[in-house]
Amino acid sequence: MQTIRTLPKIALFAAVAVAAGIMLIPIALTITNSLMTESEFVFNYGLLGKMTDAASRQGESFVNLKLIPDWVSFAQYWKLLISMPRFLQMFWNSALLVAPIVAGQTAVASLAAYAFAKLRFKGREALFLVYLMTMLMPFQVTLVPNYIIIDRLNLFNTPSAIILPGIFGAFGVFMIRQYMIHIPGAYTEATKMDGAGHAVIFARIILPLVKPGLAALSVLLFVDYWNMVEQPLIFLEDPFKQPLSLYLLQIHQQEPEVVFAASVLYMCPAVLLFLYAETYLIEGIQHSGIKG
């Protein structure tokens, strides 16, 4: 009888394991193929790389997916990091754009969320509804007004054109507010009875309790803005100011033999951050009420 009851759990576990394995195949291919020699890459990925002489003469083009390279080589990484200094420049461009956005939006969101969750003022719910409406609008809808404002402020083609709109995004306010409303009011009321003001309550009571939510928000913001394409493509005309997310396409077109290594290095920061903050991310999303 006990065995019969456990069969559905085993089947569910097996199905999840198979689905996870399928989703990990592209990542595994990217990592292992980044260890190929240039000649092996050219032979296996004629459509992506340069054609071999024999294939060029025959007018053939092909892609031969391989999980295990014939020879392990770090030549792709050497060429990418040593012979192509622009990759590192674009990498730091991304870091210098994303870091202020994550730090700024986390700070602004925590303050605004405290006001929406714990303060009582006229029009609070209506104002929060407006916040939600702006969050639901796609980037294309707000593109023209953002462009006009950035141009009037003389911020066009500067990092501030990306950073400032990112800092005042509505998603962080919504997520942290949903987290704060689950904090019992007895905590803040007891502190008020001791004569503490809102600054003390926010810094000593609320912030420590919403630490998982802030950590989860930081991870989600980092992944979102690390992969941004539309904003820098429109607001940054200078290619040397653009982030790595745009430079990957150029690498694919100009230096296809290092495209796998570039993809591995590109996803490393997001993966490492997720592994470091995995517990906070899961707890923060659960308590904020956001469902996948």
Side-chain angles (χ1 to χ4, degrees):
M1 188 67 178
Q2 185 67 25
T3 304
I4 296 177
R5 292 178 179 178
T6 58
L7 285 179
K9 295 182 179 180
I10 296 175
L12 178 61
F13 178 80
V16 172
V18 171
I22 294 174
M23 289 186 287
L24 288 175
I25 289 177
I27 299 177
L29 279 172
T30 302
I31 295 174
T32 57
N33 286 194
S34 70
L35 301 176
M36 285 183 177
T37 61
E38 183 176 348
S39 59
E40 186 178 1
F41 175 89
V42 171
F43 180 79
N44 291 317
Y45 298 97
L47 282 174
L48 302 177
K50 300 176 182 177
M51 301 293 293
T52 61
D53 294 338
S56 298
R57 288 193 297 268
Q58 297 174 7
E60 298 176 353
S61 61
F62 56 90
V63 171
N64 180 29
L65 293 175
K66 288 187 65 175
L67 182 60
I68 306 298
D70 295 333
W71 298 95
V72 175
S73 171
F74 293 94
Q76 291 190 43
Y77 294 97
W78 175 268
K79 183 174 183 179
L80 189 67
L81 298 176
I82 305 301
S83 303
M84 299 173 59
R86 191 178 175 190
F87 177 86
L88 291 178
Q89 178 187 354
M90 298 300 151
F91 185 94
W92 287 114
N93 283 353
S94 293
L96 294 176
L97 287 174
V98 174
I101 292 176
V102 173
Q105 186 170 152
T106 302
V108 171
S110 59
L111 291 169
Y114 176 77
F116 282 122
K118 298 301 180 182
L119 300 185
R120 299 289 183 266
F121 56 90
K122 186 176 181 180
R124 185 186 66 168
E125 299 302 326
L127 182 59
F128 184 68
L129 179 61
V130 173
Y131 246 81
L132 292 183
M133 292 174 62
T134 61
M135 184 183 70
L136 297 175
M137 291 181 182
F139 173 75
Q140 293 77 7
V141 173
T142 59
L143 173 60
V144 174
N146 280 342
Y147 187 94
I148 294 175
I149 293 174
I150 289 172
D151 185 56
R152 295 284 179 86
L153 294 176
N154 295 321
L155 298 177
F156 190 77
N157 202 32
T158 66
S160 298
I162 308 296
I163 295 173
L164 291 179
I167 288 177
F168 296 98
F171 174 74
V173 178
F174 166 73
M175 180 175 177
I176 302 302
R177 184 258 185 187
Q178 296 302 106
Y179 198 98
M180 285 185 180
I181 60 177
H182 291 92
I183 298 176
Y187 292 171
T188 57
E189 293 299 327
T191 310
K192 287 180 181 179
M193 292 177 63
D194 293 335
H198 289 294
V200 175
I201 294 173
F202 175 75
R204 297 186 179 182
I205 304 298
I206 301 298
L207 278 185
L209 292 176
V210 300
K211 183 179 178 181
L214 294 175
L217 175 63
S218 299
V219 174
L220 296 176
L221 290 176
F222 181 89
V223 173
D224 185 24
Y225 285 97
W226 185 259
N227 298 313
M228 61 181 171
V229 174
E230 295 91 348
Q231 299 95 319
L233 188 63
I234 295 171
F235 298 132
L236 295 178
E237 289 185 340
D238 188 351
F240 290 96
K241 295 181 180 179
Q242 293 175 347
L244 187 57
S245 53
L246 295 183
Y247 186 55
L248 283 182
L249 178 60
Q250 300 179 30
I251 292 177
H252 177 267
Q253 295 173 341
Q254 300 171 4
E255 303 286 345
E257 61 273 12
V258 299
V259 67
F260 285 115
S263 299
V264 171
L265 294 178
Y266 178 75
M267 69 180 178
C268 275
V271 172
L272 294 175
L273 181 62
F274 172 80
L275 294 176
Y276 176 77
E278 178 183 3
T279 303
Y280 285 134
L281 179 62
I282 296 174
E283 183 181 351
I285 292 178
Q286 286 178 341
H287 285 79
S288 63
I290 297 177
K291 298 181 180 181

